[in-house]
Amino acid sequence: MLIIAHYGEIALKGKNRGFFEKKLSETLSQYFRVTKLSGRFLLETNNPDYQDILRRVYGLTSYSEVTEVDTKNVVAETAKLVQEKDFHSFRISASRSDKDFFLTSPELNQQIGSLVKGKVDLNNADLTCYLEVVNNRCFVYFHKQEGIGGLPLGVSGEGLVLLSGGIDSPVAAHRAMKRGLKVNFIHFHSGSSASVRKAEDVIKHLTLKARLYIVPFNDIQQKILVSVKPDMRVLLYRRFMIGIARKIGNVLITGDNLGQVASQTLKNLDALGWDILRPLLCWDKQEIVDEAKKIGTYNISIRPHQDCCSRFLPEHPATASSVKEVDLELSKLNYTEMIDQALASSNFIDFKL
Ligand code: ATP
Ligand code: MG
């Protein structure tokens, strides 16, 4: 099977272009035989489920299964491929990267079109035949599959996503990856295997390759429950999650969303630190839900699970906390030892499609 994969934004990025293409090709070559053509990749595979891979490749704007035709007989061979299809009206859409090819795009359109029996419709044809002339080779296809877009994974560095069982953090992960961050994940659980399963399913759905760190959070919660002011509990849970995550990743990403719940007021987010990426900070909840449905994580996220943070919630959680207040509560606990213990009892799973 031959596939042509197009990339978009990369083509615009001047000096970075080579680097971006290299990252994209590194990802693709784990699954395909890759040939670099001018401004696109030619992929070869025998895997009938190749779309499962390509739909997760950040940076691709579209991909199409193609038939290569003989350059010298491009007009007749393309016309024959069109004629084999079922259609009422058709159009030929030729594009030429080789400016010295013996026919121009309009000439290709006209000459192929004149050999095909059927009605030409340039605006509303029910069959469009695409012909790409590139590197002195000719490729024909009839269907363009939209890609996920964005930047290739890894061009912006690496991050660690704090992945809960909720709707927001998978969307945050997707947004971070779309801007070229290669991410791993960390999930805190209070003994519920349902939430871990959800985290695994989100990762399998969104990524080709990632690591999930799984950290039991029961002990920490029990200690917080005993020693910390009730209205500060949720903030302390978060503070510990961030503290543990910092031991594993340099750049942290959360699904925090301003004002969504009591723990996500500006002051509370301030108390937890601004050196955390929060891609969804200023989105509307409905926008997050729509995006979750679009990327396919919504149905995983709404599966019931025991969320470790909604346990032992105080009636009136603090909404206007400060670093000082958080630190005061932290000083009642053996922070370093608790973090070390959590890390010691954690494990990880590597996923690769
Ligand atoms: P929801 O859609 O339920 O709000 P959420 O993912 O936004 O889900 P919150 O309780 O609002 O969950 O938590 C805010 C952020 O803190 C999450 O987006 C996530 O990044 C992080 N977080 C919360 N709970 C966990 C957890 N159990 N494991 C890992 N990260 C978590
Ligand atoms: Mg939330």
Side-chain angles (χ1 to χ4, degrees), residues 162-170 186-189 238 241 253-256 260-261 264 285 307-309:
L162 282 80
L163 186 65
S164 69
I167 294 167
D168 305 346
S169 42
I186 185 167
H187 176 72
F188 300 89
H189 70 94
R238 286 276 183 280
M241 287 183 185
I253 298 141
T254 69
D256 284 321
Q260 192 181 103
V261 290
Q264 294 173 20
K285 184 70 187 186
D307 175 18
C308 66
C309 285

Side-chain angles (χ1 to χ4, degrees), residues 113-172:
S114 68
L115 291 186
V116 176
K117 287 192 202 74
K119 180 168 162 273
V120 176
D121 185 340
L122 296 183
N123 301 315
N124 238 332
D126 49 38
L127 181 74
T128 299
C129 167
Y130 300 93
L131 167 65
E132 291 189 18
V133 180
V134 57
N135 296 72
N136 209 26
R137 296 172 72 175
C138 297
F139 301 97
V140 176
Y141 57 94
F142 295 90
H143 178 67
K144 237 186 232 191
Q145 181 63 45
E146 198 182 324
I148 201 165
L151 300 175
L153 226 52
V155 300
S156 306
E158 288 190 22
L160 182 67
V161 174
L162 282 80
L163 186 65
S164 69
I167 294 167
D168 305 346
S169 42
V171 176

